[in-house]
Amino acid sequence: MANPLDKLISGSMDTAAAIGKPVLSGGVDIADRAGRRLGELISGAGERRFAAFISYSHADMDFARWLHRSIENYRVPRALIGTQGERGPIPARLRPLFRDEDELAGAAELGPRLEGALSRSDALIVICSPASAQSIWVDKEIRTFKRINTQAPVFAVIAAGTPEDCFPPSLLFAIDDAGELDRTRPVEPLAPDLEKFGRKTVKLKLIAGLIGTSYGALYRRDRVRARRWAAGLGAAALILILLLSGLSIAAVGYARMAVQQRNEAQAARRLAEENADKAERRAWLAQVAAQEVRRQALLLDSKGGTCPPPD
């Protein structure tokens, strides 16, 4: 005879196996996905890219911070968004940009973090000055970027100094496969001068290069947008002025009405006071007349006489 307990145990084991299979399968899938994600992170795949890498000397920190913030906050004119630039469709924003604030004086090499950021940057912006021309780290960043991103553009801006004393050596020559200067292939960098053009023009020139359009086209679109903003602000200011004028006129009218009502109230109060005085005077006169009548009556009674009868 079969033991019923055996059936119960076997049924429970079958149910546990049926439930455990999808759980284990799901766990394996999660583990596979986690492994693939970890592999992507280790290999650098799937990490975010940067619109540009800003290379600068820490002596130019203030300008680098301003440039970083200005480019990331700039909105490309709507007419240019999505159109084809020299490096593909023009985006609405250029973000994020990579800018390192760590001092590298104690390091021998750039390190994997900076090299990874350089490899994932679509362009390089070099802030040129006598300090950056003497910085070995700015020079290393330029060499590394040129070696890794052979087709990516390199932009320069003169923050201080002159073209004769502000360019790092790696900007003046091409870089070979080993990352060394190829002095047989000199390069003439085109860099807008901050002292000549001012910050706004320098910013627009760099943004035009980053999005792959001409400075003239970007400048015209930016001016059109600025005029539209100015017109919109002017219209809003005019509406506000008209609204305030209407409110002022209404306030003056209400003030006049208030003064008129106050004057009417004061006149009514004076009239009420005058009527009260008149009523009080009449009451006093009536009281005086009544007292005089009583006095005359008492006087006649005291003489014992009465009024003579008429003839």
Side-chain angles (χ1 to χ4, degrees):
M1 182 177 178
N3 188 351
L5 186 59
D6 293 339
K7 294 183 178 179
L8 179 61
I9 294 174
S10 61
S12 300
M13 294 180 64
D14 293 340
T15 304
I19 295 174
K21 285 181 180 178
V23 173
L24 291 174
S25 177
V28 171
D29 292 340
I30 294 174
D32 289 341
R33 287 197 295 268
R36 287 196 299 269
R37 179 59 178 164
L38 181 61
E40 291 176 354
L41 292 176
I42 294 174
S43 63
E47 295 184 0
R48 66 175 181 173
R49 294 192 62 82
F50 299 100
F53 184 107
I54 300 179
S55 179
Y56 65 100
S57 167
H58 282 257
D60 306 315
M61 173 74 77
D62 291 339
F63 177 69
R65 287 176 175 172
W66 172 84
L67 186 65
H68 186 177
R69 183 174 61 253
S70 298
I71 293 178
E72 281 198 341
N73 292 337
Y74 182 79
R75 294 178 179 271
V76 176
R78 187 177 301 175
L80 294 176
I81 298 175
T83 60
Q84 194 67 21
E86 294 178 1
R87 280 174 290 280
I90 295 178
R93 291 287 190 94
L94 288 167
R95 58 172 54 176
L97 272 68
F98 184 91
R99 178 177 58 86
D100 183 47
E101 292 195 1
D102 295 333
E103 189 67 56
L104 298 176
E109 297 295 336
L110 293 178
R113 186 176 69 89
L114 286 182
E115 290 190 1
L118 285 165
S119 66
R120 299 193 308 276
S121 296
D122 296 331
L124 178 67
I125 299 175
V126 183
I127 298 178
C128 301
S129 68
S132 65
Q134 301 299 320
S135 172
I136 60 173
W137 303 113
V138 172
D139 193 68
K140 284 186 176 183
E141 287 172 350
I142 299 172
R143 292 191 187 201
T144 302
F145 183 84
K146 285 186 174 182
R147 177 175 54 83
I148 297 175
N149 303 301
T150 57
Q151 302 300 321
V154 177
F155 302 99
V157 54
I158 300 176
T162 63
E164 290 75 21
D165 63 359
C166 70
F167 290 136
S170 296
L171 275 182
L172 301 176
F173 298 95
I175 302 298
D176 59 22
D177 295 338
E180 299 297 330
L181 295 181
D182 186 353
R183 297 185 180 275
T184 63
R185 292 186 296 165
V187 178
E188 184 177 357
L190 298 177
D193 193 332
L194 183 63
E195 294 183 358
K196 294 181 180 179
F197 296 105
R199 288 194 171 190
K200 183 176 181 179
T201 301
V202 166
K203 178 189 71 174
L204 288 181
K205 284 180 177 291
L206 289 176
I207 291 174
L210 290 171
I211 65 177
T213 189
S214 66
Y215 166 74
L218 181 62
Y219 176 78
R220 287 192 297 272
R221 296 294 185 181
D222 193 78
R223 291 294 299 170
V224 169
R225 181 175 61 183
R227 285 195 293 267
R228 288 177 179 173
W229 271 98
L233 292 176
L238 179 59
I239 293 173
L240 182 60
I241 291 173
L242 293 176
L243 179 61
L244 293 177
S245 300
L247 293 176
S248 300
I249 294 172
V252 171
Y254 287 134
R256 289 178 179 175
M257 291 176 60
V259 171
Q260 182 180 358
Q261 291 175 357
R262 184 194 62 188
N263 294 336
E264 292 177 353
Q266 291 176 351
R269 184 179 62 189
R270 287 194 297 269
L271 181 60
E273 290 175 352
E274 292 175 358
N275 291 335
D277 290 341
K278 290 178 180 179
E280 185 178 357
R281 186 174 181 81
R282 291 192 186 98
W284 178 78
L285 290 175
Q287 184 179 4
V288 170
Q291 291 176 354
E292 181 64 23
V293 169
R294 286 196 297 272
R295 190 182 68 79
Q296 292 295 333
L298 292 174
L299 183 61
L300 290 175
D301 289 341
S302 64
K303 290 182 178 180
T306 59
C307 294
D311 295 337

